[in-house]
Amino acid sequence: CYHRKTMNLKNPETYAVMMLKHIGKHPVSKRIEEAIAITLKDKNVITQDLGGVGSLSRMTNAIIERL
């Protein structure tokens, strides 16, 4: 999507969690959900569309660090 590339917004992480649940990987999806929940509290990391000042890459890296 052009918007995602140019604006570095949106959050595909939640789609990954849904997909993991769908294929029965519940422990992994729960771990990712918890990392996302912690990350969503940090306004410096979350994307603008979620009320923060971060970028998608910054938010993704923060989630990965919390795993």
Side-chain angles (χ1 to χ4, degrees):
C1 175
Y2 182 77
H3 178 71
R4 276 190 218 162
K5 273 186 172 177
T6 58
M7 297 300 294
N8 204 14
L9 299 174
K10 303 296 177 205
N11 300 294
E13 295 86 355
T14 55
Y15 298 112
V17 170
M18 289 189 306
M19 192 168 34
L20 287 166
K21 285 181 179 180
H22 179 72
I23 62 171
K25 302 291 184 181
H26 298 283
V28 176
S29 66
K30 182 165 178 63
R31 191 169 162 203
I32 295 171
E33 278 182 317
E34 290 169 355
I36 291 171
I38 293 167
T39 302
L40 287 173
K41 296 176 184 176
D42 187 349
K43 299 283 186 192
N44 292 314
V45 174
I46 62 173
T47 54
Q48 295 170 14
D49 56 322
L50 295 174
V53 295
S55 64
L56 178 58
S57 57
R58 191 179 206 183
M59 182 170 168
T60 302
N61 289 333
I63 293 168
I64 292 167
E65 288 174 13
R66 289 171 169 99
L67 289 173

